[in-house]
Amino acid sequence: MENAHQAGMKVHPYTFRIDEGHVPGYAKDFEDFLNIFFYKADVDGVFTDFPDRAVNFLKEKKG
């Protein structure tokens, strides 16, 4: 991430899904999955089939 950002690139991984079997075992739930990528990995955005959940997550984090 650091190298990509230093090069002026934006990183948007895909596809973040909430369906059973799509949230990886290292995340408690969909919101934790987003938290890991936005606030630990420092991605710039994500592609998801559940944009309402991602937008609500980001709004709640900005408080």
Side-chain angles (χ1 to χ4, degrees), residues 26-62:
Y26 58 80
K28 293 182 292 190
D29 54 26
F30 185 71
E31 283 72 17
D32 188 41
F33 190 26
L34 292 171
N35 187 65
I36 290 166
F37 274 80
F38 275 109
Y39 297 106
K40 293 183 180 176
D42 195 29
V43 300
D44 301 293
V46 298
F47 289 92
T48 180
D49 293 331
F50 304 91
D52 56 327
R53 293 283 293 264
V55 168
N56 288 338
F57 167 80
L58 292 170
K59 282 182 180 178
E60 287 177 11
K61 285 293 186 177
K62 287 186 179 185

Side-chain angles (χ1 to χ4, degrees), residues 11-32:
V11 179
H12 295 79
Y14 65 92
T15 297
F16 284 63
R17 297 194 53 82
I18 197 169
D19 319 70
E20 185 176 334
H22 290 277
V23 175
Y26 58 80
K28 293 182 292 190
D29 54 26
F30 185 71
E31 283 72 17
D32 188 41

